[in-house]
Amino acid sequence: MTHAEQHKMIVELIDYTHKMKRYDQEEFEMFVKRDKDDEDLDAISQKRLVHLYEFYVVHKGRSS
């Protein structure tokens, strides 16, 4: 995952922090701080970020 992709996920997730459970929100805040410092996430953190993104960001698709 590139830094740009990581940043895009974090920016989109900011709008969903009010829906997050406390543990998820605390972990996400850590991701935001690391992103602000321009740090790349390690593999485990990347997987967790992707999991949070898939869980909280709902993409509306076409219904057929």
Side-chain angles (χ1 to χ4, degrees):
M1 171 184 307
T2 65
H3 185 70
E5 293 171 335
Q6 170 184 315
H7 180 73
K8 182 182 174 191
M9 284 183 171
I10 290 172
V11 168
E12 287 187 42
L13 273 168
I14 288 174
D15 295 335
Y16 296 92
T17 55
H18 66 281
K19 292 184 178 183
M20 291 183 185
K21 296 176 186 165
R22 183 176 180 168
Y23 175 77
D24 291 340
Q25 191 170 17
E26 290 173 355
E27 190 172 36
F28 177 68
E29 289 173 2
M30 181 211 41
F31 294 150
V32 170
K33 288 178 186 176
R34 289 176 70 181
D35 184 57
K36 192 178 278 188
D37 293 338
D38 289 329
E39 293 182 30
D40 287 330
L41 300 176
D42 58 10
I44 296 170
S45 297
Q46 285 179 356
K47 287 181 184 178
R48 185 67 182 140
L49 178 63
V50 169
H51 173 74
L52 288 174
Y53 184 80
E54 290 173 350
F55 187 79
Y56 287 107
V57 178
V58 179
H59 290 288
K60 296 179 182 176
R62 283 186 175 180
S63 58
S64 344

